[in-house]
mmCIF file of all heavy atoms in Angstrom:
data_model
loop_
_atom_site.group_PDB
_atom_site.id
_atom_site.type_symbol
_atom_site.label_atom_id
_atom_site.label_comp_id
_atom_site.label_asym_id
_atom_site.label_seq_id
_atom_site.Cartn_x
_atom_site.Cartn_y
_atom_site.Cartn_z
ATOM 1 N N GLU A 1 0.827 -1.218 0.000
ATOM 2 C CA GLU A 1 0.000 0.000 0.000
ATOM 3 C C GLU A 1 0.854 1.257 0.000
ATOM 4 O O GLU A 1 0.620 2.189 -0.760
ATOM 5 C CB GLU A 1 -0.904 -0.019 1.235
ATOM 6 C CG GLU A 1 -1.817 1.163 1.348
ATOM 7 C CD GLU A 1 -2.677 1.060 2.585
ATOM 8 O OE1 GLU A 1 -3.258 -0.010 2.842
ATOM 9 O OE2 GLU A 1 -2.751 2.072 3.319
ATOM 10 N N ARG A 2 1.874 1.280 0.838
ATOM 11 C CA ARG A 2 2.687 2.480 1.012
ATOM 12 C C ARG A 2 3.667 2.718 -0.138
ATOM 13 O O ARG A 2 3.778 3.810 -0.664
ATOM 14 C CB ARG A 2 3.443 2.375 2.337
ATOM 15 C CG ARG A 2 4.578 3.346 2.524
ATOM 16 C CD ARG A 2 4.086 4.724 2.958
ATOM 17 N NE ARG A 2 5.154 5.681 2.950
ATOM 18 C CZ ARG A 2 5.867 6.025 4.011
ATOM 19 N NH1 ARG A 2 5.616 5.501 5.171
ATOM 20 N NH2 ARG A 2 6.824 6.916 3.899
ATOM 21 N N VAL A 3 4.381 1.675 -0.527
ATOM 22 C CA VAL A 3 5.478 1.829 -1.485
ATOM 23 C C VAL A 3 5.004 1.702 -2.930
ATOM 24 O O VAL A 3 5.460 2.414 -3.801
ATOM 25 C CB VAL A 3 6.611 0.821 -1.185
ATOM 26 C CG1 VAL A 3 7.745 0.956 -2.184
ATOM 27 C CG2 VAL A 3 7.124 1.011 0.245
ATOM 28 N N TRP A 4 4.081 0.799 -3.154
ATOM 29 C CA TRP A 4 3.635 0.543 -4.526
ATOM 30 C C TRP A 4 2.223 1.071 -4.789
ATOM 31 O O TRP A 4 1.608 0.731 -5.788
ATOM 32 C CB TRP A 4 3.708 -0.946 -4.831
ATOM 33 C CG TRP A 4 5.113 -1.418 -5.031
ATOM 34 C CD1 TRP A 4 5.791 -1.432 -6.205
ATOM 35 C CD2 TRP A 4 6.011 -1.934 -4.049
ATOM 36 N NE1 TRP A 4 7.061 -1.919 -6.014
ATOM 37 C CE2 TRP A 4 7.228 -2.238 -4.694
ATOM 38 C CE3 TRP A 4 5.929 -2.173 -2.676
ATOM 39 C CZ2 TRP A 4 8.326 -2.767 -4.024
ATOM 40 C CZ3 TRP A 4 7.017 -2.688 -2.016
ATOM 41 C CH2 TRP A 4 8.196 -2.980 -2.683
ATOM 42 N N ALA A 5 1.705 1.890 -3.908
ATOM 43 C CA ALA A 5 0.393 2.543 -4.069
ATOM 44 C C ALA A 5 -0.706 1.554 -4.464
ATOM 45 O O ALA A 5 -1.470 1.790 -5.389
ATOM 46 C CB ALA A 5 0.489 3.677 -5.085
ATOM 47 N N ASN A 6 -0.760 0.453 -3.716
ATOM 48 C CA ASN A 6 -1.807 -0.558 -3.895
ATOM 49 C C ASN A 6 -1.779 -1.283 -5.230
ATOM 50 O O ASN A 6 -2.733 -1.961 -5.574
ATOM 51 C CB ASN A 6 -3.194 0.015 -3.639
ATOM 52 C CG ASN A 6 -3.459 0.131 -2.158
ATOM 53 O OD1 ASN A 6 -3.036 -0.699 -1.374
ATOM 54 N ND2 ASN A 6 -4.156 1.180 -1.779
ATOM 55 N N ARG A 7 -0.719 -1.117 -6.019
ATOM 56 C CA ARG A 7 -0.587 -1.949 -7.218
ATOM 57 C C ARG A 7 -0.223 -3.349 -6.753
ATOM 58 O O ARG A 7 0.433 -3.526 -5.733
ATOM 59 C CB ARG A 7 0.495 -1.414 -8.147
ATOM 60 C CG ARG A 7 0.031 -0.152 -8.877
ATOM 61 C CD ARG A 7 1.138 0.372 -9.693
ATOM 62 N NE ARG A 7 2.009 1.058 -8.730
ATOM 63 C CZ ARG A 7 3.061 1.766 -9.032
ATOM 64 N NH1 ARG A 7 3.448 1.871 -10.269
ATOM 65 N NH2 ARG A 7 3.766 2.374 -8.124
ATOM 66 N N PHE A 8 -0.638 -4.323 -7.504
ATOM 67 C CA PHE A 8 -0.317 -5.692 -7.113
ATOM 68 C C PHE A 8 1.180 -5.918 -7.239
ATOM 69 O O PHE A 8 1.763 -5.692 -8.296
ATOM 70 C CB PHE A 8 -1.071 -6.717 -7.973
ATOM 71 C CG PHE A 8 -0.667 -8.117 -7.628
ATOM 72 C CD1 PHE A 8 -1.154 -8.727 -6.486
ATOM 73 C CD2 PHE A 8 0.250 -8.803 -8.407
ATOM 74 C CE1 PHE A 8 -0.754 -10.006 -6.137
ATOM 75 C CE2 PHE A 8 0.660 -10.088 -8.076
ATOM 76 C CZ PHE A 8 0.152 -10.685 -6.934
ATOM 77 N N VAL A 9 1.769 -6.349 -6.161
ATOM 78 C CA VAL A 9 3.170 -6.783 -6.173
ATOM 79 C C VAL A 9 3.243 -8.102 -5.413
ATOM 80 O O VAL A 9 2.551 -8.289 -4.418
ATOM 81 C CB VAL A 9 4.142 -5.751 -5.547
ATOM 82 C CG1 VAL A 9 4.254 -4.517 -6.395
ATOM 83 C CG2 VAL A 9 3.766 -5.399 -4.139
ATOM 84 N N SER A 10 4.054 -8.978 -5.898
ATOM 85 C CA SER A 10 4.178 -10.292 -5.257
ATOM 86 C C SER A 10 5.042 -10.197 -4.004
ATOM 87 O O SER A 10 5.799 -9.239 -3.814
ATOM 88 C CB SER A 10 4.799 -11.288 -6.234
ATOM 89 O OG SER A 10 6.151 -10.945 -6.480
ATOM 90 N N GLN A 11 4.932 -11.221 -3.179
ATOM 91 C CA GLN A 11 5.792 -11.304 -2.002
ATOM 92 C C GLN A 11 7.255 -11.343 -2.419
ATOM 93 O O GLN A 11 8.111 -10.802 -1.735
ATOM 94 C CB GLN A 11 5.437 -12.546 -1.177
ATOM 95 C CG GLN A 11 4.078 -12.464 -0.537
ATOM 96 C CD GLN A 11 3.735 -13.717 0.241
ATOM 97 O OE1 GLN A 11 4.503 -14.667 0.316
ATOM 98 N NE2 GLN A 11 2.554 -13.728 0.830
ATOM 99 N N GLU A 12 7.514 -11.985 -3.559
ATOM 100 C CA GLU A 12 8.887 -12.071 -4.065
ATOM 101 C C GLU A 12 9.428 -10.682 -4.427
ATOM 102 O O GLU A 12 10.591 -10.378 -4.180
ATOM 103 C CB GLU A 12 8.950 -13.005 -5.273
ATOM 104 C CG GLU A 12 10.342 -13.171 -5.837
ATOM 105 C CD GLU A 12 11.348 -13.775 -4.855
ATOM 106 O OE1 GLU A 12 10.964 -14.529 -3.955
ATOM 107 O OE2 GLU A 12 12.544 -13.457 -5.002
ATOM 108 N N THR A 13 8.585 -9.841 -5.014
ATOM 109 C CA THR A 13 9.004 -8.476 -5.364
ATOM 110 C C THR A 13 9.394 -7.706 -4.108
ATOM 111 O O THR A 13 10.426 -7.034 -4.073
ATOM 112 C CB THR A 13 7.879 -7.739 -6.110
ATOM 113 O OG1 THR A 13 7.589 -8.446 -7.320
ATOM 114 C CG2 THR A 13 8.254 -6.302 -6.424
ATOM 115 N N ILE A 14 8.574 -7.815 -3.074
ATOM 116 C CA ILE A 14 8.870 -7.128 -1.810
ATOM 117 C C ILE A 14 10.150 -7.697 -1.204
ATOM 118 O O ILE A 14 11.027 -6.937 -0.764
ATOM 119 C CB ILE A 14 7.680 -7.233 -0.840
ATOM 120 C CG1 ILE A 14 6.480 -6.469 -1.418
ATOM 121 C CG2 ILE A 14 8.063 -6.693 0.541
ATOM 122 C CD1 ILE A 14 5.177 -6.674 -0.676
ATOM 123 N N ALA A 15 10.285 -9.025 -1.203
ATOM 124 C CA ALA A 15 11.491 -9.657 -0.649
ATOM 125 C C ALA A 15 12.739 -9.213 -1.407
ATOM 126 O O ALA A 15 13.785 -8.959 -0.802
ATOM 127 C CB ALA A 15 11.350 -11.181 -0.695
ATOM 128 N N GLN A 16 12.650 -9.094 -2.735
ATOM 129 C CA GLN A 16 13.790 -8.638 -3.533
ATOM 130 C C GLN A 16 14.156 -7.194 -3.187
ATOM 131 O O GLN A 16 15.334 -6.851 -3.100
ATOM 132 C CB GLN A 16 13.495 -8.775 -5.026
ATOM 133 C CG GLN A 16 13.624 -10.189 -5.533
ATOM 134 C CD GLN A 16 15.022 -10.737 -5.324
ATOM 135 O OE1 GLN A 16 15.243 -11.561 -4.433
ATOM 136 N NE2 GLN A 16 15.969 -10.300 -6.100
ATOM 137 N N ARG A 17 13.162 -6.344 -3.000
ATOM 138 C CA ARG A 17 13.434 -4.944 -2.662
ATOM 139 C C ARG A 17 14.033 -4.849 -1.261
ATOM 140 O O ARG A 17 14.925 -4.038 -1.019
ATOM 141 C CB ARG A 17 12.155 -4.123 -2.795
ATOM 142 C CG ARG A 17 12.341 -2.638 -2.671
ATOM 143 C CD ARG A 17 13.318 -2.038 -3.644
ATOM 144 N NE ARG A 17 12.898 -2.170 -5.021
ATOM 145 C CZ ARG A 17 13.465 -1.522 -6.030
ATOM 146 N NH1 ARG A 17 14.471 -0.692 -5.813
ATOM 147 N NH2 ARG A 17 13.052 -1.703 -7.248
ATOM 148 N N ILE A 18 13.577 -5.688 -0.345
ATOM 149 C CA ILE A 18 14.180 -5.741 0.995
ATOM 150 C C ILE A 18 15.642 -6.170 0.867
ATOM 151 O O ILE A 18 16.532 -5.607 1.518
ATOM 152 C CB ILE A 18 13.404 -6.703 1.924
ATOM 153 C CG1 ILE A 18 12.044 -6.111 2.327
ATOM 154 C CG2 ILE A 18 14.226 -7.070 3.159
ATOM 155 C CD1 ILE A 18 12.084 -4.990 3.334
ATOM 156 N N LYS A 19 15.907 -7.141 0.015
ATOM 157 C CA LYS A 19 17.281 -7.606 -0.213
ATOM 158 C C LYS A 19 18.150 -6.469 -0.750
ATOM 159 O O LYS A 19 19.290 -6.287 -0.306
ATOM 160 C CB LYS A 19 17.274 -8.780 -1.191
ATOM 161 C CG LYS A 19 18.627 -9.367 -1.449
ATOM 162 C CD LYS A 19 18.539 -10.543 -2.402
ATOM 163 C CE LYS A 19 19.920 -11.090 -2.700
ATOM 164 N NZ LYS A 19 19.853 -12.213 -3.647
ATOM 165 N N ILE A 20 17.625 -5.685 -1.675
ATOM 166 C CA ILE A 20 18.362 -4.545 -2.235
ATOM 167 C C ILE A 20 18.647 -3.517 -1.140
ATOM 168 O O ILE A 20 19.763 -2.990 -1.043
ATOM 169 C CB ILE A 20 17.575 -3.909 -3.400
ATOM 170 C CG1 ILE A 20 17.557 -4.857 -4.593
ATOM 171 C CG2 ILE A 20 18.145 -2.539 -3.786
ATOM 172 C CD1 ILE A 20 16.568 -4.474 -5.680
ATOM 173 N N LEU A 21 17.650 -3.244 -0.293
ATOM 174 C CA LEU A 21 17.838 -2.304 0.813
ATOM 175 C C LEU A 21 18.895 -2.823 1.774
ATOM 176 O O LEU A 21 19.797 -2.082 2.175
ATOM 177 C CB LEU A 21 16.508 -2.063 1.537
ATOM 178 C CG LEU A 21 16.561 -1.175 2.782
ATOM 179 C CD1 LEU A 21 17.129 0.207 2.459
ATOM 180 C CD2 LEU A 21 15.174 -1.061 3.404
ATOM 181 N N ARG A 22 18.818 -4.091 2.116
ATOM 182 C CA ARG A 22 19.814 -4.676 3.018
ATOM 183 C C ARG A 22 21.220 -4.576 2.442
ATOM 184 O O ARG A 22 22.168 -4.249 3.156
ATOM 185 C CB ARG A 22 19.490 -6.142 3.269
ATOM 186 C CG ARG A 22 18.428 -6.345 4.277
ATOM 187 C CD ARG A 22 18.295 -7.805 4.511
ATOM 188 N NE ARG A 22 17.978 -7.999 5.905
ATOM 189 C CZ ARG A 22 17.407 -9.089 6.351
ATOM 190 N NH1 ARG A 22 17.131 -10.077 5.537
ATOM 191 N NH2 ARG A 22 17.137 -9.206 7.623
ATOM 192 N N GLN A 23 21.363 -4.872 1.152
ATOM 193 C CA GLN A 23 22.680 -4.783 0.524
ATOM 194 C C GLN A 23 23.215 -3.357 0.603
ATOM 195 O O GLN A 23 24.386 -3.143 0.914
ATOM 196 C CB GLN A 23 22.611 -5.250 -0.923
ATOM 197 C CG GLN A 23 22.462 -6.744 -1.057
ATOM 198 C CD GLN A 23 22.230 -7.191 -2.497
ATOM 199 O OE1 GLN A 23 21.813 -6.417 -3.347
ATOM 200 N NE2 GLN A 23 22.495 -8.462 -2.759
ATOM 201 N N ALA A 24 22.369 -2.385 0.324
ATOM 202 C CA ALA A 24 22.799 -0.985 0.357
ATOM 203 C C ALA A 24 23.230 -0.572 1.765
ATOM 204 O O ALA A 24 24.182 0.201 1.928
ATOM 205 C CB ALA A 24 21.676 -0.080 -0.145
ATOM 206 N N LEU A 25 22.541 -1.098 2.778
ATOM 207 C CA LEU A 25 22.851 -0.736 4.163
ATOM 208 C C LEU A 25 23.976 -1.580 4.756
ATOM 209 O O LEU A 25 24.443 -1.302 5.856
ATOM 210 C CB LEU A 25 21.602 -0.876 5.039
ATOM 211 C CG LEU A 25 20.408 -0.003 4.676
ATOM 212 C CD1 LEU A 25 19.252 -0.278 5.623
ATOM 213 C CD2 LEU A 25 20.780 1.471 4.657
ATOM 214 N N GLY A 26 24.392 -2.613 4.018
ATOM 215 C CA GLY A 26 25.425 -3.508 4.548
ATOM 216 C C GLY A 26 24.867 -4.446 5.608
ATOM 217 O O GLY A 26 25.580 -4.863 6.519
ATOM 218 N N ASP A 27 23.584 -4.766 5.505
ATOM 219 C CA ASP A 27 22.927 -5.645 6.465
ATOM 220 C C ASP A 27 23.105 -7.098 6.033
ATOM 221 O O ASP A 27 23.230 -7.391 4.855
ATOM 222 C CB ASP A 27 21.433 -5.291 6.537
ATOM 223 C CG ASP A 27 20.782 -5.700 7.841
ATOM 224 O OD1 ASP A 27 21.504 -6.070 8.790
ATOM 225 O OD2 ASP A 27 19.543 -5.640 7.918
ATOM 226 N N ASP A 28 23.097 -7.996 6.986
ATOM 227 C CA ASP A 28 23.281 -9.414 6.731
ATOM 228 C C ASP A 28 22.008 -10.150 7.125
ATOM 229 O O ASP A 28 21.562 -10.051 8.272
ATOM 230 C CB ASP A 28 24.466 -9.918 7.555
ATOM 231 C CG ASP A 28 24.772 -11.390 7.365
ATOM 232 O OD1 ASP A 28 23.962 -12.117 6.767
ATOM 233 O OD2 ASP A 28 25.841 -11.819 7.845
ATOM 234 N N ALA A 29 21.425 -10.891 6.198
ATOM 235 C CA ALA A 29 20.178 -11.609 6.470
ATOM 236 C C ALA A 29 20.342 -12.635 7.596
ATOM 237 O O ALA A 29 19.390 -12.912 8.317
ATOM 238 C CB ALA A 29 19.693 -12.307 5.203
ATOM 239 N N HIS A 30 21.544 -13.174 7.773
ATOM 240 C CA HIS A 30 21.778 -14.190 8.798
ATOM 241 C C HIS A 30 22.089 -13.581 10.163
ATOM 242 O O HIS A 30 21.914 -14.244 11.191
ATOM 243 C CB HIS A 30 22.904 -15.131 8.370
ATOM 244 C CG HIS A 30 22.598 -15.820 7.080
ATOM 245 N ND1 HIS A 30 21.642 -16.797 6.969
ATOM 246 C CD2 HIS A 30 23.094 -15.630 5.835
ATOM 247 C CE1 HIS A 30 21.571 -17.199 5.710
ATOM 248 N NE2 HIS A 30 22.443 -16.503 4.999
ATOM 249 N N ASP A 31 22.548 -12.360 10.196
ATOM 250 C CA ASP A 31 22.850 -11.650 11.441
ATOM 251 C C ASP A 31 22.451 -10.179 11.253
ATOM 252 O O ASP A 31 23.314 -9.299 11.158
ATOM 253 C CB ASP A 31 24.344 -11.785 11.767
ATOM 254 C CG ASP A 31 24.680 -11.214 13.127
ATOM 255 O OD1 ASP A 31 23.773 -11.088 13.977
ATOM 256 O OD2 ASP A 31 25.864 -10.869 13.345
ATOM 257 N N PRO A 32 21.141 -9.918 11.158
ATOM 258 C CA PRO A 32 20.682 -8.566 10.786
ATOM 259 C C PRO A 32 20.938 -7.510 11.861
ATOM 260 O O PRO A 32 20.813 -7.777 13.051
ATOM 261 C CB PRO A 32 19.183 -8.759 10.557
ATOM 262 C CG PRO A 32 18.814 -9.939 11.377
ATOM 263 C CD PRO A 32 20.026 -10.830 11.397
ATOM 264 N N ARG A 33 21.311 -6.324 11.386
ATOM 265 C CA ARG A 33 21.477 -5.159 12.261
ATOM 266 C C ARG A 33 20.372 -4.135 12.037
ATOM 267 O O ARG A 33 20.130 -3.291 12.876
ATOM 268 C CB ARG A 33 22.809 -4.457 11.993
ATOM 269 C CG ARG A 33 24.012 -5.273 12.334
ATOM 270 C CD ARG A 33 25.295 -4.508 12.083
ATOM 271 N NE ARG A 33 25.231 -3.727 10.849
ATOM 272 C CZ ARG A 33 26.014 -2.706 10.570
ATOM 273 N NH1 ARG A 33 26.925 -2.312 11.415
ATOM 274 N NH2 ARG A 33 25.908 -2.068 9.434
ATOM 275 N N TYR A 34 19.748 -4.173 10.848
ATOM 276 C CA TYR A 34 18.762 -3.154 10.492
ATOM 277 C C TYR A 34 17.349 -3.696 10.291
ATOM 278 O O TYR A 34 16.387 -3.104 10.755
ATOM 279 C CB TYR A 34 19.182 -2.417 9.215
ATOM 280 C CG TYR A 34 20.467 -1.664 9.353
ATOM 281 C CD1 TYR A 34 21.640 -2.146 8.798
ATOM 282 C CD2 TYR A 34 20.515 -0.473 10.062
ATOM 283 C CE1 TYR A 34 22.832 -1.457 8.936
ATOM 284 C CE2 TYR A 34 21.708 0.220 10.208
ATOM 285 C CZ TYR A 34 22.861 -0.282 9.645
ATOM 286 O OH TYR A 34 24.040 0.396 9.793
ATOM 287 N N ILE A 35 17.222 -4.795 9.561
ATOM 288 C CA ILE A 35 15.889 -5.280 9.186
ATOM 289 C C ILE A 35 15.731 -6.740 9.587
ATOM 290 O O ILE A 35 16.519 -7.596 9.190
ATOM 291 C CB ILE A 35 15.661 -5.138 7.666
ATOM 292 C CG1 ILE A 35 15.797 -3.678 7.263
ATOM 293 C CG2 ILE A 35 14.280 -5.685 7.274
ATOM 294 C CD1 ILE A 35 15.880 -3.459 5.769
ATOM 295 N N ARG A 36 14.701 -6.995 10.393
ATOM 296 C CA ARG A 36 14.371 -8.358 10.801
ATOM 297 C C ARG A 36 13.191 -8.836 9.958
ATOM 298 O O ARG A 36 12.207 -8.134 9.800
ATOM 299 C CB ARG A 36 13.980 -8.379 12.274
ATOM 300 C CG ARG A 36 13.577 -9.759 12.787
ATOM 301 C CD ARG A 36 13.254 -9.748 14.277
ATOM 302 N NE ARG A 36 14.427 -9.341 15.043
ATOM 303 C CZ ARG A 36 14.446 -8.291 15.877
ATOM 304 N NH1 ARG A 36 13.390 -7.536 16.041
ATOM 305 N NH2 ARG A 36 15.542 -7.993 16.537
ATOM 306 N N VAL A 37 13.314 -10.047 9.436
ATOM 307 C CA VAL A 37 12.234 -10.656 8.656
ATOM 308 C C VAL A 37 11.495 -11.624 9.561
ATOM 309 O O VAL A 37 12.112 -12.487 10.185
ATOM 310 C CB VAL A 37 12.791 -11.421 7.435
ATOM 311 C CG1 VAL A 37 11.668 -12.102 6.671
ATOM 312 C CG2 VAL A 37 13.572 -10.492 6.525
ATOM 313 N N LEU A 38 10.188 -11.482 9.628
ATOM 314 C CA LEU A 38 9.349 -12.439 10.332
ATOM 315 C C LEU A 38 8.586 -13.190 9.256
ATOM 316 O O LEU A 38 7.595 -12.686 8.725
ATOM 317 C CB LEU A 38 8.434 -11.716 11.320
ATOM 318 C CG LEU A 38 9.260 -11.123 12.461
ATOM 319 C CD1 LEU A 38 8.915 -9.689 12.694
ATOM 320 C CD2 LEU A 38 9.079 -11.959 13.681
ATOM 321 N N ARG A 39 9.119 -14.332 8.893
ATOM 322 C CA ARG A 39 8.634 -15.113 7.751
ATOM 323 C C ARG A 39 7.111 -15.241 7.755
ATOM 324 O O ARG A 39 6.514 -15.635 8.734
ATOM 325 C CB ARG A 39 9.280 -16.483 7.779
ATOM 326 C CG ARG A 39 9.233 -17.212 6.472
ATOM 327 C CD ARG A 39 10.269 -18.323 6.512
ATOM 328 N NE ARG A 39 10.480 -19.003 5.278
ATOM 329 C CZ ARG A 39 11.053 -18.505 4.197
ATOM 330 N NH1 ARG A 39 11.436 -17.270 4.182
ATOM 331 N NH2 ARG A 39 11.242 -19.232 3.132
ATOM 332 N N GLY A 40 6.523 -14.860 6.630
ATOM 333 C CA GLY A 40 5.085 -14.951 6.463
ATOM 334 C C GLY A 40 4.301 -13.850 7.152
ATOM 335 O O GLY A 40 3.083 -13.790 7.040
ATOM 336 N N GLN A 41 4.988 -12.970 7.896
ATOM 337 C CA GLN A 41 4.309 -11.910 8.625
ATOM 338 C C GLN A 41 4.677 -10.518 8.118
ATOM 339 O O GLN A 41 3.813 -9.686 7.909
ATOM 340 C CB GLN A 41 4.631 -11.999 10.117
ATOM 341 C CG GLN A 41 4.146 -13.266 10.770
ATOM 342 C CD GLN A 41 4.557 -13.307 12.214
ATOM 343 O OE1 GLN A 41 4.439 -12.324 12.929
ATOM 344 N NE2 GLN A 41 5.055 -14.451 12.652
ATOM 345 N N GLY A 42 5.975 -10.276 7.999
ATOM 346 C CA GLY A 42 6.407 -8.957 7.560
ATOM 347 C C GLY A 42 7.824 -8.653 7.991
ATOM 348 O O GLY A 42 8.642 -9.561 8.170
ATOM 349 N N TYR A 43 8.093 -7.370 8.218
ATOM 350 C CA TYR A 43 9.447 -6.884 8.472
ATOM 351 C C TYR A 43 9.431 -5.879 9.622
ATOM 352 O O TYR A 43 8.458 -5.156 9.810
ATOM 353 C CB TYR A 43 10.004 -6.198 7.217
ATOM 354 C CG TYR A 43 9.950 -7.096 6.008
ATOM 355 C CD1 TYR A 43 8.846 -7.107 5.169
ATOM 356 C CD2 TYR A 43 11.000 -7.964 5.721
ATOM 357 C CE1 TYR A 43 8.790 -7.951 4.065
ATOM 358 C CE2 TYR A 43 10.952 -8.806 4.617
ATOM 359 C CZ TYR A 43 9.847 -8.792 3.797
ATOM 360 O OH TYR A 43 9.792 -9.632 2.711
ATOM 361 N N GLU A 44 10.543 -5.834 10.350
ATOM 362 C CA GLU A 44 10.709 -4.867 11.431
ATOM 363 C C GLU A 44 12.057 -4.168 11.284
ATOM 364 O O GLU A 44 13.051 -4.808 10.925
ATOM 365 C CB GLU A 44 10.721 -5.554 12.802
ATOM 366 C CG GLU A 44 9.440 -6.149 13.224
ATOM 367 C CD GLU A 44 9.572 -6.891 14.552
ATOM 368 O OE1 GLU A 44 10.673 -7.360 14.902
ATOM 369 O OE2 GLU A 44 8.543 -6.992 15.229
ATOM 370 N N LEU A 45 12.069 -2.896 11.610
ATOM 371 C CA LEU A 45 13.320 -2.160 11.700
ATOM 372 C C LEU A 45 13.887 -2.447 13.081
ATOM 373 O O LEU A 45 13.193 -2.293 14.089
ATOM 374 C CB LEU A 45 13.043 -0.670 11.506
ATOM 375 C CG LEU A 45 14.237 0.210 11.213
ATOM 376 C CD1 LEU A 45 14.923 -0.209 9.909
ATOM 377 C CD2 LEU A 45 13.802 1.655 11.116
ATOM 378 N N ILE A 46 15.135 -2.886 13.159
ATOM 379 C CA ILE A 46 15.734 -3.297 14.430
ATOM 380 C C ILE A 46 16.184 -2.111 15.290
ATOM 381 O O ILE A 46 15.788 -2.010 16.442
ATOM 382 C CB ILE A 46 16.893 -4.286 14.189
ATOM 383 C CG1 ILE A 46 16.349 -5.572 13.561
ATOM 384 C CG2 ILE A 46 17.634 -4.586 15.489
ATOM 385 C CD1 ILE A 46 17.414 -6.538 13.072
#
């Protein structure tokens, strides 16, 4: 709703954009400092 203005986007699209954000911030999916993924639920800023 917020980023794509209610256009249909897949979970994969959102996950890919999160991955791009993490890479830019130098975050590690296995030991995150910025973004926590709660599988099937969403994301949290740490």
Side-chain angles (χ1 to χ4, degrees):
E1 181 180 313
R2 165 80 188 264
V3 179
W4 286 271
N6 282 324
R7 286 176 282 186
F8 176 77
V9 291
S10 68
Q11 292 178 0
E12 181 61 28
T13 299
I14 295 171
Q16 282 300 105
R17 189 57 64 168
I18 288 286
K19 182 179 178 181
I20 291 167
L21 176 58
R22 280 185 145 159
Q23 287 173 339
L25 299 179
D27 204 11
D28 181 348
H30 301 289
D31 187 21
R33 295 182 320 160
Y34 297 104
I35 301 168
R36 178 177 299 122
V37 177
L38 292 131
R39 199 162 188 70
Q41 297 177 44
Y43 305 91
E44 292 176 334
L45 195 61
I46 296 171

